[in-house]
Amino acid sequence: MQERMGNPALVIPEAMQALAALSKIPADTGLSPKLLELVNLRASQINGCSVCVDGHPRIAKKLGETDERLFAVSAWRDSPYFSDAERAALELTEAVTRVSDRADPVPDAIWDEATRHYDGKSLAALVIAIANINVWNRLNIATRQIAGAWKP
């Protein structure tokens, strides 16, 4: 497969600046960079974004994430490696990423569980992080970006 064009965020530098600024908010708000990489990986797995499925584990490894946890992200419900707060974030990530899969995309039970672990500001930052990785996934997929070309 060959890419259709360069990533739109690279073609339009103002878009890259905006997305980069948006991506800083969750960590600046105090969310764990490791948690954010788990969120990025899970959304990317769901969306089938090979660029991000290839790249985000590399970032997570640099942050000290373990292979066991990275290998288990797609099966986090059945894995002993994640905290309750991480599980809440991963469940919210799945719901927000799969908005067209059900009539109530983010049921109260999922939202309420997230609010048990994240205060208003950190929950807002988590939702921003989930939205942002979904934007990157869609840019990469639409333009057929090649896995392995991005080496974070």
Side-chain angles (χ1 to χ4, degrees), residues 39-136:
V39 164
N40 289 339
L41 178 56
R42 186 63 192 125
S44 300
Q45 289 170 335
I46 292 166
N47 288 325
C49 180
S50 62
V51 171
C52 291
V53 168
D54 179 67
H56 285 287
R58 295 174 195 275
I59 297 169
K61 290 285 288 181
K62 289 177 184 175
L63 295 170
E65 191 55 84
T66 66
D67 287 337
E68 291 81 9
R69 286 167 46 92
L70 291 172
F71 297 154
V73 166
S74 65
W76 62 267
R77 283 180 179 83
D78 301 318
S79 170
Y81 303 122
F82 304 100
S83 70
D84 289 344
E86 290 167 331
R87 291 175 187 284
L90 290 167
E91 188 166 34
L92 184 62
T93 298
E94 289 185 359
V96 173
T97 300
R98 292 181 163 141
V99 292
S100 67
D101 287 358
R102 54 182 157 199
D104 184 7
V106 183
D108 289 341
I110 291 173
W111 187 261
D112 292 347
E113 182 62 16
T115 64
R116 287 187 50 232
H117 301 282
Y118 302 96
D119 65 20
K121 194 170 184 176
S122 62
L123 184 56
L126 180 59
V127 172
I128 287 170
I130 296 165
N132 197 39
I133 191 58
N134 274 279
V135 168
W136 280 108

Side-chain angles (χ1 to χ4, degrees), residues 1-4 50 141 143-147:
M1 182 168 40
Q2 187 173 8
E3 70 180 22
R4 290 178 166 149
S50 62
I141 292 166
T143 59
R144 293 187 179 157
Q145 298 302 298
I146 307 299

